[in-house]
Structures are given as structure tokens and as C-alpha cells.
Amino acid sequence: MTHHDQQSSIDELPSSTRAEGELPPLLRDPSFWGMSVTQFLGAFNDNLFKQLLLLLATPTAVELAAAQARGETAPDRQSEAMIVFAIAFLLFSGFAGWLADRTSKRTLIVAAKVAEIVVMALGMVGFLFYGSIGFSGMLVVLFLMGTQSAFFGPPKYGILPEIIHDRDLPQANGIFLMFTFMAIIFGVVLAGQIGSSVDTVWIGSAVCIVIAIVGTLTSLFVRRVTPANPGMKLRLSDFFVPPESIALVKRDRELLLAIIVTSSFWLLGSIVQQAVNALGKSQLGLGDQETSILAAMLGIGIPIGCLLGGKLSAGRINPRVVAWGAFGIVVSLGLMSLRGGPKEHLLGFYGSIPVLIVAGISTGVFIVPIQVAVQALPPANEKGRMIALMNQCNWIGIILGALLYQGALEICEHFNQPRNTAFAIGAAVMLPIALWYRPKERSLGD
């Protein structure tokens, strides 16, 4: 088969209806950069605040040893935080998706950023009075942060196909996700610097308030867009899963598989985030700063992988890129699960750093083509609700990941196994995807 014949056999996605030249080149588009910076700042806040709570929830090696000496257990409450954050998404993503199709996505983005300022202010108050409200009280603030993020999600991803050319989606998503995971690096590292001491943790929320204000200002650079489906009526089903979305994924097997895979990906992410914190604090006996450095290594690799994934995709959905990323994740997590003795970690702190970076690169390469598929495949008037459905499925995955991690901890405790065993569960989740999932190769048109 000739190269021309191969190109002709590739299904074409519907091209954009915008006139050529109507939009500026991607890298010179202030609207795109405004949205990217806004996403960066929002993700920074999410990860700084969440990592501060996760560090508070993770017992240290000293606390574990002291509890064992008393015949007790020191609870790891990370799963509680992950589940509370996820429940907010499950409750509100459906309505948020309806809003994203019914209302201008730009209006919702600005409104969500204003709400972020309020939530971060509540977070600072909560940390200042942590002695009175405790960890359970902070879970209420975390729920509110999850709610704000649920309303921000559909418009922030759904607006990209509306403000850029379809052919630019892979590169735009690579940059967009690069900013997202750079924010994870800075947020997680700063959380480690601040530490989980109740005397200093409020400083993190003070930083978050400033970042939320700046993010609100950058959101004003996003280009105004008209509602995709302004006459749509609100129905009870829109609070859950609209029948149109169910019908769409039923008839579009590729879109259904992409949503299932992204959900499995976030299930994996839920396990790995908690496993890294437990490896550092509970198994290797590291402090908050060193533990957060380990967590940030994923964040260093992911932006590189996102840019690489966008470059390798080159204006199309490329199944080979997905496969390379998936196998890289499986191998990296398999290495992280290896032990050097009954309770030891083979790689240790310094050996884990390059492996986690490679895991991050593989993650970025893997997720970019799938993210593009979920944005490009649905009809224009259903993109918001479809991204909301994806968000709901992703957070179901995160809840399942938290439960799997909690179950893994109990098994490790019962059989006296090291906590890095949880990485093996993550590798097992990704292995069938690496072996069998291949999205259909498609050109992205104009």
C-alpha cells in the first residue's frame, strides 16, 4: 500500500467550520495562552491544597512504629480525602456539563475562578483553626474545592475546540497538559516546603488566595464564545448522565473506549499519588520535603511527555503513541514495586527519582492522544456534556483507586508486606490497556 493509499484509508474527523485566517496562529494567540495560564494556576492551587491535606493524612514511619509498639495502627487517611474530593465531581459534573453547553464557556471559566478565591479563603480560615475543626473539618473545604473544580472542568476543556483550529488540538493539548503538570510540580513541592505542621500549613492557603486572584485576571484574556446549545432545557437527567450522552457513547465505540481508558488512567493516578506519599513517609522514613520531591518527579516527567505526545501525534490521533506511553507506565511502576528485603525498597530515594521521571514522561505521552479524542469526537453541541461525563467517569476511577489503595494497605499490614507493593497494583491496572487498547488513527482536519 502506498503512502497516499494509507492516508486515504484514515477516517477524517469533521473539519472546523471556521474560515481560514479567522483565528491567529496558536503560539501567538493571547486567548489560548490566557486559558493555559489560567489552567496552570488553577491546577497549582488544587495540588498545593490537596497535597497539604494528604501530608497531614499520612502517618510517618515514627508514628507507625509507635502505634505498632502499642498494638495499634496509625491510620492513613489519604483515601478519605481522595474520595471526598471525587464525590463533589460526581455530584456536580452532570449539571456543570449542561451549563457548559447552555452558557458561554468563557463566562463559566471566569465565574469558577472567582469561586476559587472564596474557597481558598475558607481553606486558610480552616487551617488557622485546625486545632478546633481537625482533619474532618478540612474535608468540608476540600469538598467545596472539588465542587469548584467540577464546574471549571467542562468549560476549560470544552472551550479549546472553540477557540483554536482542530488541527492544533494535539499541540494545544500538549501545551495545556504541560502547564497542568508543571503546576503539579510546583504545588506538590511547595506543599513539602511548607510541611504538614499545623502551625505553618495555613501559609499554603494564603498563597492559594493570591494565585486564585491572579488566575481570575488571566481568565479575562480568554476569547468570548457563544453558547454551543443556548436553548437547551434543564432536565433531571442532566444532573446525572443525559440520555444524549449515553446514546452517543453507545453508537460511538471509540469514544466509549476513550472514556473508559481515561477513567482507568485516573484510577491509576489515584493509587500512585497515595503510594508515593506512603513510600516516602511511612516506608523510607522521609520528611514532608523529601516525600514531596518524590511526588514532584512525576510532575517533572509529565510535561516532557505531554509535549512529546503532542509532537508525535502531529495533527492526528496516533495509536502507536498511546501504546508506547502505556508500556512505559507498566515498566516504571513494576520497578517501583521491587523490594530489596522484607520491608525494604530496592530503589530507595535516589533510585526512585529517575524511574518516577520516566513514569511521568510515559504518562504524558499516553494521555495526550486520548484527551484529544474525547475533545474532537463528540458533536460541537455536546462537547461540554461529554467532557462532564468523562469527568464523572474519571472521578469514579479515582474513588475506586482510593478504595483499591486502602485495600492494598490492609493486605500489606495483614501479611507484613512493604507499602511499595501498591505500585504493583497500579502496573496491573495499566497492563491490559497497554496490551489491547489502540485508538483508531484519525486526521484532525482543519
Side-chain angles (χ1 to χ4, degrees):
M1 181 181 284
T2 67
H3 177 71
H4 175 76
D5 291 333
Q6 288 173 333
Q7 286 300 105
S8 298
S9 67
I10 296 172
D11 290 339
E12 296 283 330
L13 290 178
S15 62
S16 173
T17 57
R18 303 182 196 93
E20 195 69 39
E22 179 184 338
L23 299 174
L26 181 69
L27 299 183
R28 296 204 301 269
D29 187 349
S31 177
F32 169 70
W33 288 114
M35 187 64 248
S36 296
V37 174
T38 300
Q39 163 62 4
F40 169 84
L41 296 172
F44 177 91
N45 268 352
D46 279 358
N47 285 278
L48 171 57
F49 191 87
K50 189 165 62 175
Q51 180 69 359
L52 286 171
L53 276 183
L54 291 177
L55 288 173
L56 281 171
T58 308
T60 64
V62 172
E63 290 170 342
L64 281 175
Q68 288 173 353
R70 298 191 304 268
E72 302 172 355
T73 59
D76 184 326
R77 301 186 67 182
Q78 291 185 90
S79 294
E80 292 179 46
M82 299 294 286
I83 289 171
V84 165
F85 194 72
I87 285 173
F89 274 84
L90 288 178
L91 289 177
F92 298 109
S93 282
F95 180 58
W98 176 84
L99 271 182
D101 285 334
R102 176 71 170 74
T103 312
S104 168
K105 293 178 179 63
R106 193 257 192 187
T107 301
L108 293 177
I109 287 167
V110 175
K113 297 305 294 182
V114 172
E116 185 181 325
I117 299 173
V118 177
V119 174
M120 290 301 111
L122 290 173
M124 187 176 74
V125 173
F127 279 131
L128 283 170
F129 292 94
Y130 187 83
S132 301
I133 67 172
F135 186 78
S136 298
M138 290 307 300
L139 291 179
V140 176
V141 180
L142 187 65
F143 177 83
L144 293 175
M145 191 177 83
T147 301
Q148 181 270 335
S149 296
F151 281 94
F152 186 49
K156 78 177 177 185
Y157 285 114
I159 202 172
L160 283 183
E162 297 183 12
I163 62 173
I164 64 174
H165 290 291
D166 289 344
R167 64 172 180 265
D168 289 327
L169 278 173
Q171 184 182 15
N173 274 279
I175 294 170
F176 205 66
L177 290 170
M178 178 194 73
F179 272 97
T180 299
F181 291 107
M182 283 176 61
I184 292 174
I185 299 172
F186 294 123
V188 168
V189 169
L190 182 58
Q193 296 290 330
I194 293 169
S196 56
S197 167
V198 295
D199 297 323
T200 60
V201 76
W202 65 271
I203 298 172
S205 281
V207 173
C208 287
I209 294 172
V210 175
I211 295 298
I213 293 172
V214 176
T216 303
L217 296 176
T218 60
S219 71
L220 300 177
F221 286 89
V222 179
R223 186 176 295 109
R224 294 181 184 275
V225 294
T226 57
N229 198 348
M232 186 168 52
K233 303 295 183 183
L234 180 63
R235 303 159 303 177
L236 182 62
S237 60
D238 290 315
F239 288 93
F240 304 100
V241 182
E244 293 87 355
S245 298
I246 295 174
L248 180 57
V249 296
K250 277 184 176 180
R251 68 175 181 264
D252 192 333
R253 181 175 179 273
E254 187 178 355
L255 182 58
L256 173 63
L257 286 175
I259 289 174
I260 291 172
V261 169
T262 56
S263 178
S264 301
F265 173 80
W266 286 103
L267 181 154
L268 171 69
S270 175
I271 294 172
V272 171
Q273 182 177 15
Q274 296 173 86
V276 169
N277 285 335
L279 170 67
K281 289 190 71 172
S282 303
Q283 187 171 344
L284 298 179
L286 305 175
D288 290 334
Q289 186 172 348
E290 293 85 358
T291 298
S292 291
I293 287 173
L294 279 182
M297 291 304 102
L298 286 167
I300 287 176
I302 290 174
I304 299 171
C306 288
L307 288 179
L308 188 59
K311 186 72 174 176
L312 292 172
S313 296
R316 66 181 59 251
I317 298 169
N318 191 330
R320 293 172 294 280
V321 174
V322 174
W324 296 334
F327 278 111
I329 293 171
V330 171
V331 172
S332 301
L333 295 185
L335 290 172
M336 288 298 297
S337 70
L338 297 178
R339 63 193 67 180
K343 285 292 223 178
E344 296 176 4
H345 185 234
L346 179 64
L347 300 179
F349 175 74
Y350 292 104
S352 297
I353 288 175
V355 175
L356 288 171
I357 291 175
V358 171
I361 293 172
S362 302
T363 297
V365 168
F366 173 79
I367 198 60
V368 167
I370 303 171
Q371 185 74 45
V372 171
V374 176
Q375 288 175 340
L377 290 173
N381 64 346
E382 292 189 36
K383 289 186 190 293
R385 283 177 293 174
M386 190 52 56
I387 290 171
L389 174 61
M390 180 187 72
N391 281 341
Q392 288 172 309
C393 293
N394 289 351
W395 286 98
I396 290 172
I398 288 172
I399 290 175
L400 291 176
L403 295 174
L404 273 176
Y405 173 77
Q406 196 62 43
L409 275 188
E410 293 177 8
I411 292 171
C412 289
E413 290 288 337
H414 183 75
F415 292 101
N416 199 30
Q417 298 299 307
R419 300 203 167 195
N420 68 306
T421 305
F423 289 106
I425 296 174
V429 168
M430 183 56 65
L431 183 59
I433 295 173
L435 291 174
W436 291 297
Y437 175 67
R438 299 292 182 273
K440 195 171 186 178
E441 186 164 0
R442 292 177 181 266
S443 172
L444 292 169
D446 293 333

